[in-house]
Amino acid sequence: HSMSLLSIALEVLCLIRDNPTITREELAVKLDTSIGTIGNAIKELRESELIDVERDGKGSRYLIRMTGQVYGVRHRLPVAVLVDSVMEVK
């Protein structure tokens, strides 16, 4: 699959936003990629401090940690805004 890790991470971010308790397996199926790649994308998002991961029973719950101004637009962000926010964190 030729998607870059950044584009996968952004897709993961959007899916997590819509479903905070989505599993890595579900993410892998939805994005047609491996669980390992999803793991790398989640690691990237955590290291960039864009998400937190909480244990939730047997699974995980993902919490998006974007700044108010970036995330203030009621959940309908263009990907460009997400990309900018990811780049700023680096």
Side-chain angles (χ1 to χ4, degrees):
H1 225 34
S2 59
M3 283 176 83
S4 71
L5 187 59
L6 176 62
S7 62
I8 291 171
L10 290 170
E11 294 281 348
V12 167
L13 200 53
C14 292
L15 289 167
I16 286 170
R17 179 194 65 201
D18 295 336
N19 179 5
T21 55
I22 194 167
T23 65
R24 290 179 183 212
E25 291 78 8
E26 288 168 332
L27 287 165
V29 169
K30 279 184 185 289
L31 299 179
D32 189 26
T33 188
S34 71
I35 290 175
T37 299
I38 295 297
N40 289 338
I42 288 171
K43 180 168 176 273
E44 191 70 28
L45 291 168
R46 288 181 78 174
E47 286 174 357
S48 301
E49 297 185 344
L50 288 173
I51 64 169
D52 284 326
V53 181
E54 275 184 356
R55 298 304 297 164
D56 183 23
K58 289 184 176 170
S60 297
R61 181 174 178 83
Y62 300 103
L63 304 168
I64 294 177
R65 287 179 50 169
M66 288 193 165
T67 63
Q69 72 180 49
V70 173
Y71 205 57
V73 191
R74 268 308 281 155
H75 294 349
R76 285 287 163 257
L77 288 181
V79 169
V81 174
L82 289 173
V83 173
D84 288 346
S85 67
V86 172
M87 295 309 178
E88 281 166 20
V89 171
K90 282 283 171 240

